[in-house]
Structure formats: structure tokens, C-alpha cells
């Protein structure tokens, strides 16, 4: 009876909000139809998702950047007022899908236009909703930091300055920290493992694939540059990045196992996480202590006299084969299936991929 009452009350709230939205005047900051679509896409109904209206939101954003301000205002108003974890989670998935449209105006947005860092559901006893509250807060924390990072990188790219190797390494460390945050977004309560949370986890798997593949491809590029012009400071930082990547392999393995146990579709596929090549760790340590002789280097037939002859083709092939296997084997569109439809664009290409570009499937599909 209580669930039926909450569902009815939620439906009435949504209907009233839509009615008020349609009465508002159209201005550069207000768009009644867009606001109504946002409300329908973030309804209180935890049993289903309004795919059609979410697609309408994405279409508006793709059409023109003038719709970004109405979107930010409409969604922030919706999120700041709600005390329902269902509405909050749908709102996060919606803004996540907006990011995937790769619209320049969205990438320059900066921090999210709303704050869910201290979100608490008020419609049920806290003993029943604490897990949902934690899930919403951790999901929000990741998206908020990612939005800020996207904005920063977009501004730097607009300046047209070629980043130094040290800057690239610092950026890789930042994305590794982002991956740590992303892996914290998980259900903490057994009762959560289904329904809307399961839909969100399917989307988060795509995000993990994308972020981790960007990290691997970034490492491939910086290793090439370090081997070409060895320098101890860069090699020291690169060693930290590579070692961190090695720990991420273990973290990802555990995360995927949790997801498979709860029935996350994308985690149930056959996924392979290659161990970090020990040769790369040893080579960086040798550069740091000054004992690496690149011209005479020989690790099982790899990276031999090609360097001595002035050719880097062999080295480039070896490094990229090792570090890009995750992207090529695990993130193909034939392997994963997106539960939500976001924008028709490819995956988030925030970090350049030096050797090949592997299109990932759309991240969020409403």
C-alpha cells in the first residue's frame, strides 16, 4: 500500500511540474517543451525510463548550443528540489548522456549545474535508502569532476598549444584518479542489485571501458616519447603511472566480477584485461638509474637494432600492441550492448589516441 501511495504521489508531482513548465514563458533561459521533456525523462517512476523524452533532450542539445542554458536551468531546478533517489539517478544518467553528445558548448560547461554531494532520499526510511543515497552521491561526484576536467581540457585544446610530455603524464595521473572515483560507483546494499541501478551500472561499464582505454593509449604514446628522448624526471613520473595502471588491472577485475554477479549485461561478456608488461616497468627503472642502453636493448626479440638504425617502427608496434589491446579487444561495438541510447556520436575522445581510433558504442541510451 505504501509503495502504491508513493508511486501515485510521484506521478501527481510529475504531472504538476509538467503543467507548470508548459505555462512558463519562452526566454533564452527557459524552454517549456525542453523542461517538460526533462521532467518526463526524470520521472518518479522507478519501474521504467522514458526513452523517447530523453532522446528529445539529446536532440535539442545536438541541434543548437542555445539549448544548453535552458537544459542547465531545467535540470538543475529538477535536481535541487528532488528528495527522490529515483529522480536523482535518472537526472545523473541524463546529464551523462548529454556529455556523450560531444557538443563543444557542453564540454566547456565546467562543473555540473546542480549539487547532489549531500543527497538524501526523504521518501523512505534511511535504513532502506542509505545505499541509494551513497550511489547517487558517488555517481554525482564522478560526473561533476569529469565535467570540470572536460572543460579544462577543452580550453587547453582551444589554445592550440602542444602539451609537454610532463603535462601529458600529469593528465594521465588525473584520469587515473578519475578511474578510481568511477570504480567507487557501485551498489553497497544487496537490495539495490536490480531495476534502475542495474541500468545505471550497464552505462558505467561503458564509461570504465572508455576511460581505461584512454589511459592505456596515453601510456602507449608517452612511452614512445620517453624511449625516443629518455629523461629521468619524465621516466620517474611515467613509472608511477605504469605501476598505477597495474593496480587498476586488479581493481577492474574485481569490479567486473561484482557486476557479473549482480547481472550487469555488459560485464557478462568475455572481457580480457592484459597484465601490465613487466618490460616497461624495468625499462623505466633503468632509464631512471641510467643503465638503459636503447640501441642495444633486446627483450625477447623486441626493440632491437631498429633503434640503432634510426627506425622506430618496431618499437612503436610493440608498445602499442601491448597497451592498446584493452581498447581493441574489449571495447568493440560487437562485444558490448548499450542499454540506453544517447547521441549518435562516437565515444568520448578527450585524450588523443596516437595509433588507431576504435569507436565505442554509445554510452547512454534512454
Amino acid at each position: 500500500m505504501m509503495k502504491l501511495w508513493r508511486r501515485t504521489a510521484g506521478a501527481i508531482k510529475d504531472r504538476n511540474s509538467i503543467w507548470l513548465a508548459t505555462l512558463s514563458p519562452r526566454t533564452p533561459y527557459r524552454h517549456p517543451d525542453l523542461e517538460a521533456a526533462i521532467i518526463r525523462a526524470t520521472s518518479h517512476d522507478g519501474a521504467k525510463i522514458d526513452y523517447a523524452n530523453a532522446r528529445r533532450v539529446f536532440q535539442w542539445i545536438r541541434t543548437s548550443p542555445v539549448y544548453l542554458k535552458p537544459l542547465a536551468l531545467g535540470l538543475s531546478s529538477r535536481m535541487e528540489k528532488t528528495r527522490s533517489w529515483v529522480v536523482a539517478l535518472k537526472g545523473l544518467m541524463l546529464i551523462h548522456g548529454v556529455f556523450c553528445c560531444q557538443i563543444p558548448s557542453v564540454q566547456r560547461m565546467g562543473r555540473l549545474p546542480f549539487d547532489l554531494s549531500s543527497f538524501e532520499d526523504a521518501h523512505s526510511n534511511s535504513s532502506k535508502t542509505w545505499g541509494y543515497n551513497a550511489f547517487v552521491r558517488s555517481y554525482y561526484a564522478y560526473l561533476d569532476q569529469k565535467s570540470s576536467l572536460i572543460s579544462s581540457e577543452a580550453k587547453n585544446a582551444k589554445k592550440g598549444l602542444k602539451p609537454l610530455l610532463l603535462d601529458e603524464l600529469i593528465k594521465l595521473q588525473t584520469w587515473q584518479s578519475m578511474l578510481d572515483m568511477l570504480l567507487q560507483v557501485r551498489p553497497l546494499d544487496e537490495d539495490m542489485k536490480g531495476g534502475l541501478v542495474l541500468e545505471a551500472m550497464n552505462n558505467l561499464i561503458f564509461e570504465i571501458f572508455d576511460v581505461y582505454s584512454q589511459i592505456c593509449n596515453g601510456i602507449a604514446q608517452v612511452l614512445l616519447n620517453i624511449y625516443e628522448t629518455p629523461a629521468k624526471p619524465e621516466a620517474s613520473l611515467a613509472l608511477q603511472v605504469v605501476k598505477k595502471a597495474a593496480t587498476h588491472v586488479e581493481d577492474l577485475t574485481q569490479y567486473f566480477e561484482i557486476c557479473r554477479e549482480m547481472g550487469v549485461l555488459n560485464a557478462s561478456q568475455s572481457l580480457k584485461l592484459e597484465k601490465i608488461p613487466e618490460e616497461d616497468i624495468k625499462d623505466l627503472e633503468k632509464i631512471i638509474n641510467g643503465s638503459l642502453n636503447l640501441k642495444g636493448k633486446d627483450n625477447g626479440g623486441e626493440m632491437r637494432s631498429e633503434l640503432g638504425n634510426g627506425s622506430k617502427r618496431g618499437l612503436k608496434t610493440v608498445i602499442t600492441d601491448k597497451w592498446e589491446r584493452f581498447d581493441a579487444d574489449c571495447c568493440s561495438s560487437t562485444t558490448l550492448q548499450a542499454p540506453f541510447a544517447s547521441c549518435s556520436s562516437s565515444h568520448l575522445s578527450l585524450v588523443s589516441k596516437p595509433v588507431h581510433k576504435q569507436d565505442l558504442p554509445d554510452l547512454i541510451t534512454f
Side-chain angles (χ1 to χ4, degrees):
M1 180 65 67
M2 184 62 68
K3 288 184 178 180
L4 179 60
W5 181 87
R6 285 199 296 266
R7 185 179 302 176
T8 303
I12 294 174
K13 288 181 180 179
D14 292 337
R15 187 173 59 201
N16 290 340
S17 297
I18 293 171
W19 180 72
L20 291 173
T22 57
L23 294 178
S24 63
R26 181 170 299 188
T27 70
Y29 294 91
R30 300 292 299 271
H31 190 290
D33 293 336
L34 176 56
E35 289 182 32
I38 291 172
I39 295 168
R40 291 188 175 98
T42 60
S43 71
H44 286 77
D45 189 349
K48 64 179 181 180
I49 298 172
D50 193 329
Y51 299 93
N53 276 286
R55 283 195 292 267
R56 293 182 67 197
V57 173
F58 300 141
Q59 184 59 46
W60 263 307
I61 294 301
R62 288 197 302 267
T63 300
S64 171
V66 301
Y67 295 111
L68 181 59
K69 289 182 179 179
L71 168 70
L73 181 63
L75 188 57
S76 63
S77 177
R78 180 75 166 164
M79 294 297 99
E80 296 289 358
K81 291 178 181 179
T82 189
R83 300 297 301 276
S84 165
W85 72 263
V86 171
V87 175
L89 184 52
K90 285 184 178 182
L92 290 173
M93 287 193 284
L94 186 65
I95 194 66
H96 199 170
V98 169
F99 286 156
C100 297
C101 294
Q102 292 194 317
I103 305 300
S105 58
V106 174
Q107 295 179 338
R108 296 191 298 267
M109 183 171 61
R111 303 288 294 272
L112 293 186
F114 53 86
D115 185 3
L116 295 178
S117 58
S118 57
F119 175 81
E120 293 283 346
D121 185 278
H123 299 288
S124 299
N125 190 289
S126 59
S127 62
K128 297 181 179 180
T129 59
W130 68 271
Y132 296 104
N133 296 336
F135 191 87
V136 167
R137 290 195 294 264
S138 59
Y139 195 1
Y140 164 80
Y142 171 76
L143 291 178
D144 186 47
Q145 290 298 313
K146 179 176 180 177
S147 183
S148 178
L149 180 57
I150 291 173
S151 177
S152 177
E153 292 189 352
K155 291 177 181 177
N156 292 335
K158 190 175 181 180
K159 296 177 181 178
L161 299 176
K162 184 178 180 180
L164 300 174
L165 179 57
L166 191 60
D167 295 330
E168 292 290 347
L169 286 164
I170 293 174
K171 182 162 61 174
L172 278 173
Q173 285 189 318
T174 302
W175 277 105
Q176 287 182 322
S177 297
M178 294 297 296
L179 183 57
D180 285 333
M181 292 184 66
L182 184 56
L183 292 176
Q184 296 304 311
V185 188
R186 63 178 71 185
L188 302 178
D189 190 345
E190 289 294 327
D191 295 336
M192 296 172 56
K193 298 180 179 180
L196 191 59
V197 172
L198 193 62
E199 296 273 3
M201 292 298 295
N202 269 307
N203 298 309
L204 290 169
I205 290 293
F206 277 96
E207 183 74 1
I208 289 173
F209 289 151
D210 186 65
V211 172
Y212 189 66
S213 65
Q214 290 180 49
I215 292 172
C216 288
N217 291 327
I219 292 175
Q221 183 62 62
V222 298
L223 288 180
L224 286 172
N225 293 334
I226 288 174
Y227 288 140
E228 290 173 356
T229 56
K232 290 185 179 180
E234 286 79 359
S236 298
L237 190 53
L239 182 60
Q240 297 178 31
V241 170
V242 171
K243 286 184 175 180
K244 180 65 174 179
T247 65
H248 273 153
V249 171
E250 301 299 325
D251 295 339
L252 288 166
T253 300
Q254 295 176 6
Y255 189 87
F256 291 151
E257 182 60 31
I258 293 173
C259 291
R260 279 191 288 268
E261 289 177 357
M262 65 178 290
V264 177
L265 175 64
N266 292 326
S268 65
Q269 306 297 326
S270 178
L271 306 175
K272 295 180 181 179
L273 290 174
E274 298 292 333
K275 291 185 177 181
I276 304 305
E278 287 291 334
E279 296 90 342
D280 290 332
I281 295 177
K282 293 178 181 178
D283 291 343
L284 290 171
E285 291 174 341
K286 290 178 181 178
I287 292 176
I288 294 170
N289 61 37
S291 63
L292 180 64
N293 180 7
L294 287 177
K295 290 187 178 181
K297 185 179 183 320
D298 180 352
N299 63 8
E302 300 170 351
M303 295 164 57
R304 294 182 181 174
S305 59
E306 289 90 342
L307 288 176
N309 295 331
S311 170
K312 303 178 181 64
R313 181 176 300 175
L315 172 61
K316 183 173 183 178
T317 301
V318 170
I319 292 177
T320 54
D321 280 351
K322 289 178 179 178
W323 284 98
E324 296 200 3
R325 189 172 303 175
F326 180 95
D327 186 26
D329 291 350
C330 298
C331 298
S332 66
S333 58
T334 58
T335 303
L336 305 177
Q337 298 180 16
F340 291 176
S342 68
C343 300
S344 58
S345 61
S346 62
H347 69 293
L348 293 171
S349 54
L350 303 178
V351 180
S352 61
K353 300 191 175 183
V355 178
H356 71 273
K357 181 177 180 181
Q358 175 74 33
D359 284 339
L360 298 179
D362 291 335
L363 180 62
I364 301 253
T365 311
F366 257 109

